[in-house]
Amino acid sequence: MRYKKFGNSDLETSVVGFGGWPMGRGHYGSFDDDEVVRAVHASIDLGVTLFDTAAVYGWGEGEKLLGRALEGKREDVVIVSKAGIPWDEEGGGRRRDSSRESLEKSLNESLTRLQTDYLDLFLIHWPDESRPMSVPMDAFADFQKQGKIRYGGVSNFSPQQMSDCLDVFPVVTNQVGYHLFDQRPEPEIIPFCADNGMGIMAYGSLAHGLLTGTMTPETTFEEDDWRRSLMAFGQPIFKGQNFLDNLKKVDTLKEMAADKGFSVAQLALAWVASEPTVSVALVGTRKPEEIQENVAAADWELSPSERAEIKAVVTG
């Protein structure tokens, strides 16, 4: 396992991190809680140090399950959680609210569910444009003084929004969707983070399952799986002809990976993790047997020319 810092900060992470969205029941279909706990333990044994979750994953249940899995292992890991999307009831309406009151309530509830008295990294999940960015950043400064968070960051923020935050508080990361089928952060977000000493947390590193190499034209999703819409953050990667075309690209990537002795999932992870500004490539998994394959990708550091060659398969 390789380890990196978040930009210019002292916060260190394994380059492959454990993404907790799939353990939030009601988002990614059915799963076994005990198997998830075993997957978390296997990750730690193989050198994974960062575990990412959010209050809204499973409407709090994802944090509870992660807290159970990390019991007795707190000092060995970096725990990341996110706030700013309160909900009215389980499965009900959600809204963006980065007021101090909302963030403080969410943080305290997250600490209880995660069975810890501090978070290593606390993020605003999505930007709340109804108020100045100084409002949540002032709250972050107070949470840090109180010892409830070590560092603060943001998720899904634009360069201007990050700049507004940095005027008030030294956020160390922006967590954004970044993978071979979603390269939208490259023109502006990644350069901004590089220029301002921030690291990227990349979510969806395996294109939300598309780059696992297990999908076929017959793949369907359970009713409580968000991918059932066939859209992924505004991109129709699972929809109609786009999906079929993408599967052909995955087949080509499989061949490229096999020539190097790797799987297509490892190639996809290595591609993300080899971007210099990426601090951690998050992988959502619930099965212990998938962990070893994911972790092996950390040792495959691609050169810029190799990354460009792989990118060309997808972009043409």
Side-chain angles (χ1 to χ4, degrees), residues 235-264:
Q235 294 184 307
I237 64 173
F238 301 115
K239 192 171 185 178
Q241 190 59 46
N242 284 325
F243 183 48
L244 299 179
D245 291 343
N246 289 341
L247 288 177
K248 292 177 182 177
K249 294 174 182 178
V250 172
D251 285 340
T252 301
L253 294 170
K254 280 184 183 179
E255 294 175 4
M256 294 179 70
D259 287 343
K260 301 286 189 178
F262 290 94
S263 70
V264 67

Side-chain angles (χ1 to χ4, degrees), residues 20 37 52 68 138 207 253-254 275 279 292 316:
V37 171
D52 175 79
R68 171 190 158 194
D138 282 337
L253 294 170
K254 280 184 183 179
E275 158 56 49
S279 299
Q292 191 158 8

Side-chain angles (χ1 to χ4, degrees), residues 5 16 21 30 37 48 61-62 75 78 86 102 148 162 177 184 211 220-221 234 249 260 275 279 314:
K5 297 287 182 68
V16 173
W21 192 11
S30 57
V37 171
V48 173
E61 293 304 312
E75 299 308 311
V78 171
S102 175
K148 292 182 176 180
M162 287 187 281
R184 289 175 293 183
L211 284 162
T220 58
F221 303 104
K249 294 174 182 178
K260 301 286 189 178
E275 158 56 49
S279 299
V314 178

Side-chain angles (χ1 to χ4, degrees), residues 132-141 144 161-171:
M133 295 301 166
S134 60
V135 173
M137 294 300 104
D138 282 337
F140 271 23
Q144 193 177 58
Q161 290 164 338
M162 287 187 281
S163 179
D164 292 343
C165 291
L166 287 168
D167 286 342
V168 181
F169 183 83
V171 292

Side-chain angles (χ1 to χ4, degrees), residues 60 107 109 123 185 262:
L107 174 58
E109 290 173 348
L123 311 180
F262 290 94

Side-chain angles (χ1 to χ4, degrees), residues 68-137:
R68 171 190 158 194
L70 293 176
E71 188 174 0
K73 302 177 183 296
R74 178 66 185 92
E75 299 308 311
D76 301 325
V77 298
V78 171
I79 299 179
V80 184
S81 195
K82 300 180 281 292
I85 310 182
W87 61 93
D88 299 320
E89 59 184 12
E90 184 174 317
R94 289 173 278 176
R95 61 192 184 280
R96 299 184 189 182
D97 183 354
S98 290
S99 65
R100 181 191 178 90
E101 295 74 20
S102 175
L103 294 178
E104 188 165 33
K105 179 176 183 294
S106 185
L107 174 58
N108 289 333
E109 290 173 348
S110 291
L111 293 175
T112 298
R113 289 190 289 254
L114 288 162
Q115 302 180 43
T116 184
D117 55 6
Y118 71 97
L119 294 179
D120 296 283
L121 182 55
F122 189 45
L123 311 180
I124 304 295
H125 205 153
W126 285 88
D128 172 6
E129 297 178 346
S130 71
R131 66 192 80 244
M133 295 301 166
S134 60
V135 173
M137 294 300 104

